[in-house]
Amino acid sequence: MARTEDGTFVGCGSLKVMDQTRGELKRLFVKPSMRGTGLGRALVQLRIDAAREMGLTELYVDTVSANVEMRGLYAKLGFEEISGYDGCATAKHLPELLPYLTFYRFTL
């Protein structure tokens, strides 16, 4: 959870452990008023750092293909676009979204 100094919620993101070596980034959100400030990048980087500390070696993430900003951020951070991945929570719970998603892998 990301908050301002006065405690106002401005963003969030989570890291789901998939197995001993893989993690999945989920639920990245930045309030519209905070977009363009670097908060999204910071939230992704914090989860990358946490994954390293946990001993994970790969991270996976999906995003809506139309979300050009997120796709650009993942590319800038070194995530590799892939066709999909085993264990994708979105594919499991909302398979009807698959045609609208882009998938990425990041090697730690």
Side-chain angles (χ1 to χ4, degrees):
M1 300 286 277
R3 299 186 182 277
T4 61
E5 287 185 19
D6 69 2
T8 303
F9 170 81
V10 292
C12 64
S14 64
L15 169 61
K16 176 185 172 192
V17 175
M18 298 169 70
D19 58 38
Q20 291 180 342
T21 61
R22 301 181 311 141
E24 185 177 31
L25 303 183
K26 300 303 296 176
R27 311 293 181 256
L28 180 66
F29 173 76
V30 174
K31 281 181 87 171
S33 63
M34 294 296 293
R35 293 180 185 161
T37 66
L39 179 58
R41 176 186 288 265
L43 288 169
V44 173
Q45 190 61 56
L46 284 168
R47 293 181 293 161
I48 289 171
D49 295 344
R52 279 193 179 109
E53 288 178 19
M54 296 166 67
L56 301 178
T57 58
E58 291 183 315
L59 288 177
Y60 293 87
V61 66
D62 63 72
T63 191
V64 176
S65 298
N67 190 339
V68 177
E69 293 83 3
M70 276 312 308
R71 294 180 66 197
L73 177 59
Y74 289 133
K76 285 178 189 175
L77 290 172
F79 283 75
E80 169 192 8
E81 190 171 325
I82 58 175
S83 61
Y85 56 93
D86 290 334
C88 176
T90 305
K92 178 180 177 182
H93 298 291
L94 297 165
E96 62 273 16
L97 291 182
L98 285 173
Y100 308 101
L101 298 177
T102 301
F103 304 92
Y104 294 90
R105 175 180 51 226
F106 183 82
T107 303
L108 298 164

